Amino acid sequence: MKLKPIKPFEPVMVDKIPAGPGWIHQIKWDGVRILTYFDGKEIKLFNRNQNERTQNYPELTDVKSYVSAQSVILDGEVIALGADGKPSFHEIMRRDGIRRYERVKTMMQKVPIFYMIYDVIYFNGEWINNETLKARTGLLSKIIRTNDTIQVLSAQTNGVALFDTVRQQNMEGIVSKRLDSSYILSGKDDRWQKVKNYKDLIAVVGGATYRQGKVNAILLGLYNEQNQLIYVGHSGSGKLSSAEWGIIAQFIERIKIEKSPFSNQPKEGRQAQWIRPVLTVKVHYTNWTADRSLRQPVIQSFVNQDPKLCRFEA
């Protein structure tokens, strides 16, 4: 493939929804950021960390069936729905985490996906990321043919009303974007802003506790500027099934260690089994305590991320 994967433009976190005629507002889906690269001959899919996901989502590889372009780079989010009909990060991880690709065909039936496209940054051999968002989304509406899987993400002018709807549905949040914003490759600034209904992060697992011989909670940490793993809380609640907890327990058996990987001492330390800090997990939480612990962390899913990237935000 001639096109090399890029790191996408990222929004900054804010607490207040911007207002005014220069802004649009879109739902922030609880999914996986996926960029589609089509150089005219070959198509590949990569996530925000530039890891390839082409084989995970074959529904998206027939690009000519939904895009009118000689070559293109699209930006969007792949989502899956839970039993309640709402986007579920746990469900999309069942697809995104597949590494035995012979399982993909079966999982396509069990976990159907949807691609919510919201930007185009390369079109017919030309980079258009320096065009305004208004121009790029205008082009997007012309070249995308929607179907049951492919959708162009809609936008609203009233961010407060959209966020109220998101909150009522207990969804992740919204992203607000300036219509005059360009798309900075590997960039992040306040021309794109996200407001979350709840907060989330990806943390490192450094230990586990047991009840009646079964794992009932995991101990979470983040790295600081000195590359020390700091304990930030534990969680035994979430969307993992008992079967998934069983798989985790089996894996923990293979990565046990004697000494705590945390530089500070968890209060659960006496009952904990320490493990090598190689597992990462996405958690939702309500806030931080004064001593830098997570309030009410809830496990969403285990994810495949470099643990060293799991750090406190500056």
Side-chain angles (χ1 to χ4, degrees), residues 124-144:
N124 286 354
E126 300 288 342
W127 286 96
I128 61 170
N129 57 298
N130 285 327
E131 298 286 340
T132 66
L133 175 65
K134 183 176 182 179
R136 298 195 312 274
T137 54
L139 174 63
L140 196 64
S141 65
K142 294 177 182 177
I143 65 174
I144 299 297

Side-chain angles (χ1 to χ4, degrees), residues 15-173:
D15 295 322
K16 185 178 180 181
I17 300 168
W23 292 89
I24 60 169
H25 313 271
Q26 298 173 316
I27 291 175
K28 189 179 191 307
W29 302 94
D30 205 358
V32 176
R33 187 97 175 253
I34 292 291
L35 281 78
T36 300
Y37 299 80
F38 176 57
D39 63 6
K41 294 182 179 180
E42 189 177 8
I43 181 172
K44 290 193 175 183
L45 310 173
F46 289 86
N47 66 14
R48 60 158 44 92
N49 294 320
Q50 300 170 302
N51 297 317
E52 187 172 355
R53 290 294 184 265
T54 310
Q55 294 187 70
N56 295 69
Y57 307 113
E59 301 97 321
L60 310 183
T61 56
D62 185 11
V63 67
K64 291 185 178 180
S65 70
Y66 63 88
V67 184
S68 299
Q70 298 172 7
S71 57
V72 74
I73 299 177
L74 303 171
D75 191 359
E77 196 160 8
V78 175
I79 67 171
L81 304 181
D84 58 2
K86 298 175 184 177
S88 167
F89 189 78
H90 179 258
E91 286 299 302
I92 195 59
M93 281 295 102
R94 295 177 65 194
R95 289 289 300 272
D96 199 75
I98 294 174
R99 298 298 178 264
R100 292 169 49 198
Y101 294 115
E102 67 273 13
R103 297 180 56 234
V104 170
K105 190 172 183 180
T106 299
M107 292 302 292
M108 288 172 65
Q109 302 299 319
K110 292 183 177 180
V111 186
I113 54 115
F114 305 89
Y115 191 25
M116 314 302 290
I117 303 170
Y118 47 71
D119 218 325
V120 52
I121 55 179
Y122 182 89
F123 177 69
N124 286 354
E126 300 288 342
W127 286 96
I128 61 170
N129 57 298
N130 285 327
E131 298 286 340
T132 66
L133 175 65
K134 183 176 182 179
R136 298 195 312 274
T137 54
L139 174 63
L140 196 64
S141 65
K142 294 177 182 177
I143 65 174
I144 299 297
R145 295 186 292 274
T146 60
N147 56 40
D148 289 344
T149 300
I150 306 297
Q151 298 292 321
V152 174
L153 188 57
S154 62
Q156 306 295 323
T157 57
N158 189 329
V160 173
L162 181 62
F163 189 78
D164 285 345
T165 299
V166 164
R167 186 163 47 195
Q168 290 169 15
Q169 295 297 318
N170 197 29
M171 296 172 67
E172 186 177 6

